Amino acid sequence: MSAPSPFDRGHTDDLMSFLAASPTPYHAVANAAERLEKAGFRQVAETDAWDATSGGKYVLRGGAIVAWYVPEGAAPHTPFRIVGAHTDSPNLRVKPRPDTGAQGWRQVAVEIYGGPLLNSWLDRDLGLAGRLSLRDGSTRLVNVDRPLLRVPQLAIHLDRSVNTDGLKLDKQRHMQPVWGLGDDVRDGDLIAFLEDTAGVPSGEVTGWDLMVHSVEPPAYLGRDRELVAGPRMDNLLSVHAGTAALAAVAGHGANLPYLPVLAAFDHEENGSQSDTGADGPLLGSVLERSVFTRGGSYEDRARAFAGTVCLSSDTGHAVHPNYAERHDPTHHPRVDGGPLLKVNVNNRYATDGSGRSVFAAACEKAGVPFQSFVSHNAMPCGTTIGPITAARHGIRTVDIGVAILSMHSARELCGAQDPFLLANALTAFLEG
């Protein structure tokens, strides 16, 4: 693979479109699947018998997607090269009884998902999107991508100490958005509105997974437009890069030494313990079925897994100009400095020395610089799907990502070049 050009703004433009079109994990995997379909991939159902044909395939389950490419003549024991990521982001999610209100305001009852920066959701124009489950067992995506909701902040005149003592938000009392006026709050109003929006007959929606999103589109920022501001970069930035890399490899992958895989999971932000999370059986099931449908035995499965490597790609922390003391003094990752290699000796990240060598080789092949990230010793370190993937499947795993600011805000910030650099590094990794 030749070295990338200094900056391909087309890739970042496409990332911004992907972010805007993916307000929920369900929309994100649908958009990833659409891109893979254009690259020749086809969906396979988990309930069907799988065949041994070569080419690109993918499985959708809820807010997760696992896609893989089988080269012509691949042996059953051929190892995998996996890009792992997650589709979910911290946000506000609608409760089972959503219709509420007080003092002449109509509100929507929401629950806090993951660990969002709550203040970033205040006084922001919000839409509503997600998945509707219908009476016949089918599902329908819905996206109200216009100003519909708002979580209004208390005026400073009624909280004079807010700028001296800090903003204090109660998750139950202070985070319920308004969406209209009136004292006649009726159960079913919100769902009836969404049925009408989605073109679903009245009374057909019997379940829902709905969440709030900012309707402000992603945008270039800065004097030279060298930064990108947008929602859900943690971690749709990695999902988009992994999808682009897999599609690129499949386009010229007849003689690949590995089976390239994209595994984008849901529920990373609350522990990954679900049937669509990294701690669930989805990835292992897909990999094993791929081995067995190509005539493999348990011995072939063991050989394939032993030679497999996963890059767990998730955003990391760029050094903050106003809070540099919160970072390790000898590790100050910068935006547009290339992807991060994330290390923690207590296994909050899965990277070890051998994994570092794999990632360094991929970056060298792609002509991409990379940086190292470690947490400040006096502060707890976050984690990713990396250690879960390594422990659950016995797969060598390396934690990487792109450096951003404002992680877990409703609107995050990255360098405009880094997404392109990450995609190139992932492509070189999947090629082997």
Side-chain angles (χ1 to χ4, degrees), residues 51-73:
D51 58 42
T53 57
S54 60
K57 309 173 186 182
Y58 68 91
V59 165
L60 290 180
R61 184 193 290 184
I65 183 171
V66 179
W68 67 104
Y69 181 83
V70 181
E72 191 75 38

